[in-house]
Amino acid sequence: MRAFARVVVLDDQQKHLDIIVRALGKAGFGAISYLVEDGAVTPEVVEPCNGLRLIFSDIHLTPTSGISGIDNIGILGPFLRNITTSGPYGLIFWSKFAEDEAEIVQTLKDRAQDLGIQLPVFFGFIDKKAVLTDLDDEAEEVEETTPNNFRNLILAEIAKCPTLRAVMEWEERAFLAANSVSNSLFKISESPQNGAPEDSWSNLIAFLAQEAVGKTNAQNDPLRAIDNALLPILEDQFRYSLPSNTSNAFDQIKEKLSGSRLSLPPGVSPAKLHSYYLVETLTDSNTAHQLRGTISAIEKDDFDKFFSQCFASKWRNLMLDEFIVQGPNRETFEEARKDKDLPVRISPCLIALSPECDDVQGKVVTQRYLLGVILNNEDARFCEHEGKLARDALHSIGKIEYNGSEKLIIVSCRRFLAIPTSVIKSMPLTPLLRLRRAMIDELSHHYTTYTRRPGVMRFS
């Protein structure tokens, strides 16, 4: 399992570290603690902490950091770089020295680029004296304030970024919905006739996996089978599990929606947003190209051989026949035919799309791949005429941002391969992207009817 926590704490005094972790737990914020010893963080951060939203840190992390803030940044900076992912988080300092906060915050901002860190969406400060009473470094014990007081102090700091608080509450709903699904299934399996609860629970989960995608498919990929079995209930549970008190976390969202119709924020293009809603960029090199919805490139070493064997045609001829506008726009076709670089600029790809009925019934004996292209915006004119694609059988995934530039993905619903499962692993394919579920549904619908399926969010 990946490291996961919403809150982490950093301090150079074990006694204070234990107290704040205990106090956070009582206030409803479970936390992972990190101790600074001789300039090193223990335990060592070997991978980012997924789900992280709040970091509590003492201001002075070395004996000399009160004299020079550089000592402190030398520890805090690398810690932030190693512990955080690319997601938003808030940094709350807790210290006896409130007067040093402004300097450390400014130093962190000034050196963020050099340190290679993403700055928090807000900086907060909680005085240790407000959390601890009888605070004395020489004392044996340190007394804690009440959990509600501490919780209110934390929420007051998070309120500096209402959007983060709203997102944290949304994430909590999603987790609790998944938790409710697991609890309900465990309760169903708790019948006295079922024997040991853990065995009955395991049998129930396995049965649901089998029923979701068929026994053979469940054996080959139990994780995806469980997803198919539980996600419908999770989605239903999440949709109707509204919090009893939405508090004021969403007031900022309501305020923004109260005016005129909103447009995309500066710097967020439709293509960039489509890259989130319509597809996912794959970063795991171990992703299998045969997984449903995966978009893969054809490796260059086997390129010509692959098209000759699989499509009985060279790529250039297949591109002109299937994707380029002909007929009423003959001039464009002639230009495309004479452009020797066009077959390179328009990159072919394969989209894994096995028949839905085979998935459910466990009958998958072949893997189906649709032929598609990934092209630059300026070359889209070769594939479109008067707002329509060159063929009715073509389907546009849409404009996305990929490798720092805008691309258009078009799929042919009549050019496909049916590959025996025995040779799938030897296919010369490199996974690049994965279609979102709604996008797979739309493409599948077009594949069988050539009509567009509603319900996919698009942006302009």
Side-chain angles (χ1 to χ4, degrees), residues 155-197:
L155 292 179
E157 295 304 310
I158 298 176
K160 293 178 178 178
C161 183
T163 306
L164 179 63
R165 182 175 177 184
V167 167
M168 289 178 67
E169 292 200 8
W170 180 85
E171 291 171 338
E172 185 174 333
R173 279 186 60 219
F175 170 78
L176 291 177
N179 182 257
S180 177
V181 172
S182 300
N183 291 347
S184 298
L185 289 174
F186 182 73
K187 190 171 183 65
I188 290 174
S189 66
E190 272 190 317
S191 173
Q193 296 91 343
N194 291 337

Side-chain angles (χ1 to χ4, degrees), residues 189-413:
S189 66
E190 272 190 317
S191 173
Q193 296 91 343
N194 291 337
E198 62 273 16
D199 291 338
S200 176
W201 190 34
S202 176
N203 290 339
L204 177 59
I205 297 296
F207 171 79
L208 293 174
Q210 167 193 281
E211 295 302 298
V213 299
K215 186 175 180 179
T216 302
N217 281 342
Q219 282 182 314
N220 293 335
D221 193 348
L223 177 60
R224 189 168 69 94
I226 292 175
D227 281 348
N228 277 270
L230 302 187
L231 281 176
I233 304 300
L234 170 61
E235 185 177 355
D236 181 77
Q237 186 84 15
F238 182 54
R239 182 178 301 174
Y240 294 103
S241 62
L242 297 176
S244 57
N245 179 19
T246 58
S247 68
N248 60 353
F250 300 93
D251 287 349
Q252 187 185 57
I253 305 297
K254 289 170 62 177
E255 182 180 348
K256 289 183 178 296
L257 292 170
S258 63
S260 58
R261 182 177 175 82
L262 298 174
S263 57
L264 285 176
V268 181
S269 65
K272 183 175 291 186
L273 203 53
H274 284 155
S275 298
Y276 175 78
Y277 267 93
L278 303 183
V279 301
E280 172 193 10
T281 300
L282 298 176
T283 56
D284 186 356
S285 58
N286 295 322
T287 301
H289 58 73
Q290 69 267 26
L291 293 181
R292 186 172 174 82
T294 302
I295 302 176
S296 301
I298 299 150
E299 295 173 5
K300 293 182 179 179
D301 292 342
D302 297 290
F303 191 84
D304 294 331
K305 179 181 177 182
F306 178 85
F307 274 98
S308 296
Q309 289 183 345
C310 297
F311 291 99
S313 173
K314 292 184 177 179
W315 163 238
R316 179 179 177 277
N317 295 333
L318 187 58
M319 176 197 72
L320 293 171
D321 291 342
E322 188 65 19
F323 296 98
I324 304 302
V325 173
Q326 301 181 23
N329 203 11
R330 190 71 185 179
E331 292 181 2
T332 304
F333 177 76
E334 288 299 324
E335 183 183 351
R337 190 176 64 82
K338 294 177 181 178
D339 190 336
K340 295 181 180 180
D341 294 330
L342 190 61
V344 177
R345 299 199 306 270
I346 297 183
S347 305
C349 60
L350 293 183
I351 299 90
L353 194 67
S354 56
E356 198 72 47
C357 59
D358 285 352
D359 273 347
V360 174
Q361 298 173 12
K363 294 181 178 178
V364 178
V365 293
T366 62
Q367 178 69 46
R368 194 155 303 186
Y369 293 89
L370 302 185
L371 178 65
V373 289
I374 302 175
L375 60 152
N376 300 321
N377 279 342
E378 54 269 24
D379 289 326
R381 62 191 180 90
F382 293 113
C383 304
E384 300 175 341
H385 178 62
E386 296 181 350
K388 295 182 179 180
L389 294 174
R391 313 280 181 278
D392 288 339
L394 297 181
H395 185 75
S396 176
I397 300 298
K399 291 181 180 179
I400 66 165
E401 185 176 280
Y402 181 68
N403 284 343
S405 61
E406 290 192 5
K407 302 287 186 180
L408 176 65
I409 302 179
I410 300 175
V411 183
S412 171
C413 291

Side-chain angles (χ1 to χ4, degrees), residues 28-85:
F29 296 87
I32 297 178
S33 62
Y34 291 88
L35 178 67
V36 178
E37 295 181 298
D38 300 324
V41 176
T42 305
E44 181 184 1
V45 182
V46 295
E47 63 178 348
C49 191
N50 295 277
L52 184 59
R53 291 293 177 254
L54 294 177
I55 297 176
F56 288 82
S57 175
D58 192 4
I59 285 183
H60 298 146
L61 296 172
T62 68
T64 58
S65 62
I67 303 172
S68 172
I70 294 178
D71 290 350
N72 189 70
I73 293 296
I75 296 172
L76 182 58
F79 177 77
L80 294 178
R81 183 178 64 243
N82 295 334
I83 198 73
T84 59
T85 60

Side-chain angles (χ1 to χ4, degrees), residues 406-428:
E406 290 192 5
K407 302 287 186 180
L408 176 65
I409 302 179
I410 300 175
V411 183
S412 171
C413 291
R414 68 175 184 177
R415 300 277 188 166
F416 63 89
L417 301 176
I419 306 296
T421 53
S422 58
V423 299
I424 284 178
K425 292 184 179 180
S426 62
M427 294 270 287

